[in-house]
Amino acid sequence: MKFAHVLLMLAVAPAGITFAQDSYQWLRDESRQSPQVLEYLQQHNRLTDEALSPVRDLQHSLLSQWQAMTVSKADEPWQSRLTMEWKLSSQRGELSLLRRASAKSPAQLVYSFAPRQAQADYYQIGAWAVSRDQSKLLFSEDIDGSERYQLVEVDLKKGGEKILATGLEQSMLYSADGQYVYLIRKDPTTQRPSEIRRLTVADLSEQRIWQEERADWLLSFYQASDPRYALLQSNNENSSEQKLLDLQSGEVRPIRPAQAGLEYYADVAKDTLFIKSNLHGQARLYTAPLKQPSEWTRFTQALDGLQQFYLFADALVAVTQQKADSQVLVFDYAGELKKRLPLNQQGQVAWVSRNGDFASNQLRLRSMSMTTPPMWQELNVKTLDLVTLSRDIYQNYHAERYVSEQVIAHQNGVEVPITLAYRKDKLNAHSPVILYGYGAYGFTMKPYFMPQIISLLDQGAIYAIAHVRGGGYYGDAWHQAGRGEQKRHSMDDFVAAAKSLQHYQQGERLVYAMGSSAGGTLVAGALNQAPQAFAGAVLKVPFVDVVNSMTDTSLPLTEQQYGEWGNPQVESALKAMQAYDPYGNIKAVPYPPLLVQIGLNDQRVPYWEGAKYLSKLAELSTGQGPYLLQTDFESGHASDRRKALEQQALEYAFLISLFKTSSQAEQK
């Protein structure tokens, strides 16, 4: 799979870097310790707390509603590893690792993370692994939101735990005998994953396996279906290179040299490499003998639009996409198609998740819509039987009261799909719309079922997701149409979606926008383009200082992202970037009310981007506001899960208060 630090920006400003004239550049503090900057952010927090005090009751009411939606949660499929089933469980915010022999066996507590969680205001598990004799547990943890993980090993038999290494990317692998751990070191200055190393557990010495010198390439690895092997990988925006690691012998063998524009991602089973690649243009599936890894043969001619593939003992499973239609295809290893299964329906989403291991023959499917609670299904790829494992059941939820559908907005001859939901008895000609968007990296924003969204529908709102160009809703071509010099298409589509939804079902509706990370670029760009189309917005950790960040070539990950955002060293790309750059295009117009949220320790989109953006916008806007900046001093790009719901309730309360205020004003 392609590895990407989505939203590249790392908190570094080397000496000698100059920026365009920018009166708010002083907010950029790499140390995050400047008294002047911290006081500025704290002052804004105080102002924001005061401005939002009238919505605190609504925030608490929303939290109560979510908690009152009594749910019988579908039991998530456990992961099959080492002849056992495993589950990383979260109960009341406390994480623990469980294991059991089978679905009919009682669960055993392997390890509780609660004591480590209690020592940090922010806590996130990156990955975990168990040694093959099941005597050791290995996990990576982030304790401040910076995404600089430390590696911890726990002795499950004798007790005791120790930190093996710090400053890492989250992934890790045990060698077959458990004496070595493979890890990925980040550059201490730029945080680019740049070295794969083998650590000797006994003395903590390290041996370099692969050092990536190319500044726009990132290292990663993953376990193969055959547990003897792992795939080591380096990739940039449009190319990849892999090596095969034998976890028994430690031998590393190259698969195919890097070639500009060539992407390939391999797996191993039955002494064969299976490779997804765009070798001849479209993504197709190839095979190669392990001893001749560069000799590729196409697996079957009856497989186009390949998105992903999975290997099992008795079948190979491919997920394909043609436009918005996705399918699961089951093949035997001779290439004969055994089963075809539609993966999605209009307004609904389904995806492959939490598969069993290679020997299990168990493919798991997760499906839902914004108004249909989640369901787990399992396909036995040997017998081809599909069974429903479990469903979420909300005792106080009545699905028949709600509608989920897809509509189309038109933008200069392009049809932009929008998935939306509302409550039937609450819909009227003035029901407001909350419009969410992302539109980058080819990611498709799934219409998840969440009690939080249902609470918005219960408040009389329409909730919508605009599947703009730059995302992956219609596959790679849809992504290409909204990246690089075409990035403005994403904003065009979002504005078109907003204007279309203003008159959904012949109504006269106010539209409120939400965007996070790259979605913040989308929403902020749309606000510059058509501020009158929106009645308010929430931007979470938004990437909004595009030109300044992308011209800072001392940041290695800047170069890795040129394909997505544009290379400012190319005149046409710089002009395109300048045309949509959210920060650079703020002007004296009436912007709608805004809530901008940032994390002080964010290493992907550093805090100063949102801080600069909100400060400049508040200075220039001719609107009434409010324009609110909120900094979480204890998190990074993501919030700690223990306070995420409370934060989400505040965002929704802010938007609900806006459209209730607008409704009251109309009635006067």
Side-chain angles (χ1 to χ4, degrees), residues 419-530:
T419 303
L420 61 81
Y422 60 87
R423 180 168 162 168
K424 298 176 186 176
D425 61 335
K426 297 287 186 177
L427 184 70
N428 59 51
H430 301 288
S431 295
V433 178
I434 296 177
L435 179 62
Y436 187 87
Y438 187 73
Y441 299 101
F443 289 173
T444 299
M445 302 311 296
K446 297 179 174 65
Y448 294 114
F449 178 90
M450 294 188 292
Q452 300 93 306
I453 291 177
I454 297 302
S455 71
L456 291 177
L457 309 187
D458 290 342
Q459 294 280 343
I462 300 167
Y463 187 88
I465 301 173
H467 304 290
V468 302
R469 283 173 285 181
Y473 194 79
Y474 287 142
D476 185 61
W478 197 246
H479 174 215
Q480 298 297 328
R483 72 196 285 260
E485 294 186 24
Q486 310 301 319
K487 178 58 69 177
R488 189 178 178 115
H489 286 162
S490 302
M491 291 80 166
D492 294 340
D493 291 352
F494 197 76
V495 171
K499 291 181 175 179
S500 174
L501 291 172
Q502 285 176 336
H503 305 293
Y504 173 67
Q505 292 195 3
Q506 293 75 52
E508 293 292 333
R509 310 182 187 283
L510 296 176
V511 177
Y512 302 83
M514 296 188 75
S516 178
S517 195
T521 323
L522 174 71
V523 173
L527 290 175
N528 284 338
Q529 189 179 134

Side-chain angles (χ1 to χ4, degrees), residues 145 171 310 360 377 383 400 408 413 452 590 594 634 644:
S171 304
Y310 306 92
S360 73
Q377 292 178 292
T383 66
E400 68 278 3
I408 298 294
Q452 300 93 306
L594 288 177
E634 298 166 344

Side-chain angles (χ1 to χ4, degrees), residues 527-531 585-591 616-617 620-622:
L527 290 175
N528 284 338
Q529 189 179 134
N585 286 287
I586 296 173
K587 47 191 177 293
V589 297
Y591 286 94
K616 182 179 179 181
L617 185 143
L620 295 180
S621 177
T622 60

Side-chain angles (χ1 to χ4, degrees), residues 457-668:
L457 309 187
D458 290 342
Q459 294 280 343
I462 300 167
Y463 187 88
I465 301 173
H467 304 290
V468 302
R469 283 173 285 181
Y473 194 79
Y474 287 142
D476 185 61
W478 197 246
H479 174 215
Q480 298 297 328
R483 72 196 285 260
E485 294 186 24
Q486 310 301 319
K487 178 58 69 177
R488 189 178 178 115
H489 286 162
S490 302
M491 291 80 166
D492 294 340
D493 291 352
F494 197 76
V495 171
K499 291 181 175 179
S500 174
L501 291 172
Q502 285 176 336
H503 305 293
Y504 173 67
Q505 292 195 3
Q506 293 75 52
E508 293 292 333
R509 310 182 187 283
L510 296 176
V511 177
Y512 302 83
M514 296 188 75
S516 178
S517 195
T521 323
L522 174 71
V523 173
L527 290 175
N528 284 338
Q529 189 179 134
Q532 74 284 354
F534 303 93
V538 173
L539 304 181
K540 293 175 63 64
V541 292
F543 175 41
V544 284
D545 196 11
V546 178
V547 172
N548 275 334
S549 294
M550 294 303 294
T551 52
D552 187 351
T553 55
S554 68
L555 301 176
L557 295 182
T558 295
E559 297 178 65
Q560 202 270 341
Q561 296 291 330
Y562 281 165
E564 186 63 39
W565 301 101
N567 181 353
Q569 298 177 36
V570 178
E571 183 178 359
S572 59
L574 178 59
K575 287 182 178 179
M577 198 182 304
Q578 290 171 331
Y580 73 76
D581 176 52
Y583 183 69
N585 286 287
I586 296 173
K587 47 191 177 293
V589 297
Y591 286 94
L594 288 177
L595 172 60
V596 177
Q597 299 169 317
I598 56 178
L600 185 67
N601 296 322
D602 196 338
Q603 300 294 307
R604 300 200 184 201
V605 184
Y607 74 87
W608 56 77
E609 295 217 14
K612 289 170 55 180
Y613 169 82
L614 191 282
S615 300
K616 182 179 179 181
L617 185 143
E619 176 188 358
L620 295 180
S621 177
T622 60
Q624 298 300 309
Y627 305 116
L628 306 177
L629 176 66
Q630 185 182 57
T631 303
D632 187 336
F633 289 90
E634 298 166 344
S635 76
H637 201 61
S639 297
D640 184 273
R641 67 176 66 195
R642 293 167 290 185
K643 55 186 178 183
L645 277 183
E646 183 177 352
Q647 188 63 37
Q648 190 175 14
L650 182 63
E651 298 156 16
Y652 286 177
F654 170 71
L655 293 178
I656 292 171
S657 71
L658 293 180
F659 61 68
K660 285 190 173 180
T661 300
S662 298
S663 177
Q664 291 168 0
E666 290 176 359
Q667 294 171 6
K668 292 182 179 179

